[in-house]
Amino acid sequence: MPGKAKGGNKKDNNTGKANTTSSNNIARRIGNKPARKKKANWLKSSLQGLKIIFILIAVLLLLIFAGGLTLLYAYIQGVPEFNPGKLTPPVTSYIYDREGNELTALYYDQNRIEISLDKIPQHVQNAFIAIEDERYYDHIGVDPIGIARAFMTNLRQRRWTEQGGSTITQQLIKTAFLTPEKTFERKVQEAYLAIKMERRYSKDEILEMYLNQIPFAHGAHGIEVASNIYFQKSTAELTIAEAALLAGIPRAPNYYSPYINKDAALQRQGLVLQKMYELDFISHRQLREAKEQEIVLATPPSREYPHPYFIDYVLHRELIEILMSLPQFSTREEAYEAIYNRGLKVYTTLDTEIQEITQSVISDASLYPQNLSVDMQKMKELLAQKEYASYPEEVLVEDGIFQPQGAAVVADPVSGEVLALVGGRDYSQDNQTLRYMSARQPGSAIKPIVTYAPALEENLITPGSIIDDAPFVRKDWAPENFDRIFRGLVTVRESLVRSLNVPAVKVFENLTPSIGLDYGKRMGLTTIHNDDYNLATTLGGLTHGVTAFDMAQAYAVLANQGIKVKLHTVKKIEDRHGQMIYEYRNEPQSILSPQTAYLITEMLKDVVRRGTASRLRIGRPVAAKTGTTSDNRDAYLIAYTPDLVVSVWLGHDIPILGRISGGSSTTVPFMNDILSRILEKREPLDFSRPPGISGPINICSKSGLRPGIHCPPDSIVSELFPTALVPQESCNLHLEMEICSASRLLPGEYCPTYEIIRGKFLLRPEYETTDERWRGTPGRIPQDAELAAPREQCNLHTEAAPPPAGLNLYLLENPRRVNLWWEWQDNVKEYLVYRQVINSDGQVFLQKLPGTVNQFVDQHIENDVVYIYRIVAVTNAGVRSLPAERAITIPPQGESDRGPVEGEWEHNREGRDPTGHPANGRGDTVDPHNLEA
């Protein structure tokens, strides 16, 4: 049929080409169909997966929400009933003495003046809102934004209950209805009750309630009383700067009080002002003016509680530390709030009688040295410096006299209970410094703690060990004793009793500062600095010094047989319901052996008997140690009995302005009064001697060994020893030997016999002589150097004089006698005549003759013997000559002289006297007929 082409392609009418477009499109559609199906299936499955995930998330959120609601419901079920009557002031806390007698009440609401909100200026209201609850008028009792901020803060700090975002309403609820612990449950209940409260009260009512209840310290409770106390004005008269200062206090009243911590108070005031500016409560000009305004505080309110030096320590030192160690209090602010708001009952160790005695002694002006008038201009210049700004001029100077101060700590070394604390002469608003906690230089009072007790414990010394108190130098430092005298070889006991510096430095060097200070820390010293590890520390040259409190703690270890019991002032604490939340637990530490503690104590008892504290007289055994700085700016005295330890310090608040005339001796009258009055009703006790102590044992005080035959009586002392360290050997330093009396040196061969004497001497070590390196006079040596045995030979008698010339012998008869004649010589003081039988041992001294005589007659002769005669001349300088010598034969009776013996003609040679020494002595002229010279 025309128009059809079987088996071929349709052609285009115009071109005649086969039309392939349609066929290609069809083929394309047919070829892509499987791929499109696959894509659609994947999309469908993905959508189904997402749907499942969304469903699961929704279910999970629903479960969380349901769980949260369940948990919230459970928490709310346990919420206390909203009782408006509970919106009352905080509960008063109390402090009691050791007998349970009330000392004082601690509270904020003692002085409250109610004031309506319409009488409180808007800028005052705004100051509190800015720092405590900036969205106060926008929330319903809880602040979601504040909660979120607190949550993020806790998240960063990983402390989930630290920040709570509490509103002003919640703060009222917290103190009125809930417990103080920080838990999620309490926060939920707090929020619930806050919402409930806001439904009952208006915002203005709640703010008025808040401003009338918040604490400001010093007895001020509420804004009106706070205005009166701090600025002596009503609330209506407060400036923006003053309002900001007051608004910063309630966070922690006894921390941010400008009377207690002005720097912290002003810093927080700045924070309040900045918040007020950020919230448009004040303009930039008002912000600047407020920051520039000088804060002039009124006179602080008087302290009404008794024994303030003790109670201040309890409140601001120990009690704070105790509360912060408990799990329910994590900050100082919370601890202070508990002290003044939570109705705590604090039972202390205070002995009111001992406190009153100690305070009266420290306040006794008659016991203090009278110092010269102070340069008032210099005083004012110093007080203008930042470091001295806290010392009011009227406290330091009275009637133009610079007044020294004192402090004392009294404690029981066995129980660790602090019985009294006195921080100054008279407690007042201008004199509240706890000087027993002020670090001051201890002088020699530190020696038993860091030197002698540790060295005894390490078996490096005993009380009888010998230390050479002689000049020595270490790294250009030449230590001196207080009196500039070097005593030579001394025992450890004598070094401690006399408070000698040089022996202490030598013992400390042998011990090493590292070991000594480690003992000091363990005994109770808390102010050791890294720069204190040097030899000067044993003399009290510390970076910061020590406190009287720490010294009482350290010496309590000695009083308590080497056992450390922590000194404390708080025995127990009860909460407002009478439940005990803290009780002191005695955890004794053994620091020293009982033997070491006893030996140190025995030596310190000698300090009282005959040492630097010899004027301390209380009629019972007592150990003590004094300490004075080289310039007398600080004076310490620590004394103890078996049941009492007392630490006394005297000095000036500004050390560079004054000295304590008399040094540590000035502290003795204070200690006498304190100990005598405290102990007068107690039975005297002595320190128990532990096993392992031997003695008293006699020793030589120069060698530390048992006395030898040559030890002089005044060097023999009795001493105690650890049994294992009792000396067994005898003294090897004292000896008897011959010397030339003229030179005090070893005799030489030409020393005259009469100059040779026997004496007792000391073999002491070599020593240095002081020079310009020492502060004292040059040329000083140890006192016992004069006892030292000579090491060199005589330097005066160094050579012999020529022998007498022309010696002749004649035998005379009727009666028989021998006549000696020699030539006369100048410069001869005397002649010595000797005779010896030939071939016999030794010679006989016959006579001393004046130098003007030149002959001698020997009438005591025997027959049939040969004599050798010797003549020695002694010059006017005491030098002996070589002998002139000649022999003569004495025949039998009736025979005549046979003349000189052959080989023994007149000649000169050195001779010796009968003792074996050169025959060149001195003597007086004697009648030739009397040979008993």
Side-chain angles (χ1 to χ4, degrees), residues 542-747:
L542 286 83
T543 303
H544 300 307
V546 297
T547 69
F549 193 95
D550 283 356
M551 292 298 273
Q553 175 71 84
Y555 275 83
V557 176
L558 301 175
N560 194 32
Q561 302 182 49
I563 304 298
K564 178 185 176 182
V565 178
K566 183 180 179 181
L567 297 188
H568 59 283
T569 60
V570 177
K571 298 171 70 174
K572 66 178 181 177
I573 305 172
E574 296 177 353
D575 65 15
R576 63 197 297 177
H577 305 296
Q579 297 295 316
M580 188 180 300
I581 62 173
Y582 169 83
E583 184 174 21
Y584 172 78
R585 292 183 180 179
N586 189 347
E587 298 178 352
Q589 297 175 268
S590 179
I591 308 298
L592 304 171
S593 68
Q595 292 76 23
T596 293
Y598 181 78
L599 291 174
I600 288 288
T601 296
E602 280 297 307
M603 289 188 281
L604 294 182
K605 287 167 69 175
D606 256 7
V607 172
V608 177
R609 295 188 189 104
R610 58 186 181 85
T612 55
S614 59
R615 292 193 297 130
L616 180 58
R617 290 288 180 263
I618 62 170
R620 65 181 64 212
V622 59
K625 185 67 188 78
T626 58
T628 309
T629 56
S630 58
D631 50 12
N632 284 347
R633 299 196 187 278
D634 295 284
Y636 267 101
L637 175 58
I638 303 92
Y640 60 93
T641 64
D643 56 348
L644 201 69
V645 60
V646 180
S647 173
V648 170
W649 166 85
L650 296 181
H652 293 275
D653 286 335
I654 302 180
I656 62 174
L657 282 182
R659 300 181 180 183
I660 298 297
S661 59
S664 60
S665 63
T666 309
T667 61
V668 175
F670 291 85
M671 189 66 75
N672 267 327
D673 277 9
I674 292 173
L675 288 177
S676 298
R677 292 169 62 181
I678 292 176
L679 298 173
E680 63 180 351
K681 297 179 182 178
R682 300 190 189 185
E683 288 294 324
L685 298 174
D686 202 352
F687 299 92
S688 300
R689 176 169 170 167
I693 299 293
S694 296
I697 295 170
N698 284 346
I699 63 168
C700 172
S701 62
K702 291 296 181 181
S703 67
L705 303 176
R706 298 293 184 98
I709 59 174
H710 298 303
C711 291
D714 60 359
S715 72
I716 299 175
V717 297
S718 295
E719 194 51 87
L720 301 174
F721 290 90
T723 301
L725 299 178
V726 173
Q728 303 299 322
E729 300 177 356
S730 296
C731 174
N732 54 7
L733 297 186
H734 283 109
L735 74 163
E736 188 175 83
M737 59 188 297
E738 290 183 338
I739 63 167
C740 174
S741 61
S743 63
R744 305 299 297 178
L745 299 175
L746 296 174

Side-chain angles (χ1 to χ4, degrees), residues 339-357:
I339 292 174
Y340 289 91
N341 281 346
R342 303 278 180 84
L344 301 180
K345 294 180 176 63
V346 182
Y347 295 88
T348 73
T349 61
L350 175 66
D351 187 309
T352 55
E353 182 180 1
I354 293 178
Q355 177 73 26
E356 290 170 358
I357 289 172

Side-chain angles (χ1 to χ4, degrees), residues 104-377:
T104 188
L106 304 173
Y107 38 76
Y108 289 134
D109 58 339
Q110 176 185 6
N111 188 9
R112 177 189 290 111
I113 300 174
E114 296 287 346
I115 184 173
S116 61
L117 193 64
D118 60 354
K119 293 183 180 179
I120 301 175
Q122 190 62 48
H123 66 269
V124 177
Q125 299 178 39
N126 289 342
F128 287 87
I129 291 173
I131 194 64
E132 295 293 342
D133 190 358
E134 61 186 74
R135 285 171 291 276
Y136 175 70
Y137 284 101
D138 298 327
H139 59 65
I140 59 173
V142 294
D143 181 9
I145 297 176
I147 292 174
R149 185 201 66 225
F151 175 79
M152 294 305 297
T153 301
N154 291 334
L155 186 64
R156 287 193 301 269
Q157 297 179 353
R158 297 185 181 181
R159 299 181 68 175
W160 310 116
T161 60
E162 185 65 19
Q163 294 287 331
S166 294
T167 64
I168 285 176
T169 312
Q170 286 176 280
Q171 292 181 45
L172 286 172
I173 291 295
K174 178 175 61 177
T175 57
F177 300 100
L178 301 174
T179 57
E181 57 268 340
K182 293 182 177 182
T183 64
F184 184 73
E185 178 181 2
R186 190 192 65 77
K187 295 300 293 183
V188 169
Q189 294 174 346
E190 178 183 295
Y192 173 78
L193 289 172
I195 295 172
K196 201 167 185 178
M197 183 177 183
E198 294 245 355
R199 294 173 62 187
R200 179 182 291 263
Y201 299 99
S202 69
K203 287 288 186 179
D204 285 350
E205 288 174 330
I206 293 172
L207 183 59
E208 179 178 305
M209 200 180 306
Y210 174 78
L211 292 175
N212 277 294
Q213 289 194 12
I214 49 178
F216 291 88
H218 308 292
H221 205 84
I223 185 63
E224 181 67 8
V225 173
S227 301
N228 290 333
I229 285 181
Y230 288 102
F231 302 112
Q232 288 187 342
K233 60 176 64 174
S234 68
T235 305
E237 298 172 296
L238 291 175
T239 66
I240 293 175
E242 292 167 344
L245 182 75
L246 294 181
I249 295 176
R251 172 72 180 274
N254 285 282
Y255 182 73
Y256 290 117
S257 163
Y259 293 140
I260 297 174
N261 195 343
K262 190 172 184 179
D263 288 341
L266 292 175
Q267 184 177 4
R268 187 157 174 81
Q269 178 210 34
L271 177 62
V272 175
L273 289 171
Q274 188 63 36
K275 290 292 292 183
M276 293 178 72
Y277 172 71
E278 292 172 0
L279 296 171
D280 291 330
F281 288 156
I282 58 176
S283 66
H284 187 272
R285 180 178 60 83
Q286 290 174 312
L287 172 65
R288 186 182 67 253
E289 291 175 351
K291 286 186 175 181
E292 292 174 352
Q293 179 183 336
E294 181 183 1
I295 295 297
V296 180
L297 298 173
T299 302
S302 61
R303 300 297 298 265
E304 298 180 0
Y305 50 75
H307 318 302
Y309 280 123
F310 190 98
I311 293 178
D312 277 0
Y313 178 86
V314 172
L315 293 179
H316 304 300
R317 298 274 184 165
E318 188 166 327
L319 187 54
I320 287 294
E321 293 178 2
I322 291 172
L323 293 179
M324 290 183 66
S325 70
L326 301 178
Q328 56 266 50
F329 309 104
S330 58
T331 65
R332 293 182 68 88
E333 290 88 349
E334 291 181 357
Y336 273 116
E337 182 187 5
I339 292 174
Y340 289 91
N341 281 346
R342 303 278 180 84
L344 301 180
K345 294 180 176 63
V346 182
Y347 295 88
T348 73
T349 61
L350 175 66
D351 187 309
T352 55
E353 182 180 1
I354 293 178
Q355 177 73 26
E356 290 170 358
I357 289 172
T358 309
Q359 182 67 71
S360 67
V361 173
I362 297 298
S363 298
D364 187 350
S366 68
L367 297 177
Y368 287 86
Q370 297 300 311
N371 287 348
L372 297 177
S373 298
V374 67
D375 184 337
M376 297 301 297
Q377 181 60 36

Side-chain angles (χ1 to χ4, degrees), residues 62 141 204 231 239 344 431 433 446 522 526 619 731 740 746 751 815 824 868 877 881:
L62 184 61
D204 285 350
F231 302 112
T239 66
L344 301 180
N431 183 25
T433 304
I446 203 172
R522 289 194 285 136
T526 62
C731 174
C740 174
L746 296 174
C751 290
W824 183 87
I868 300 174
S881 72

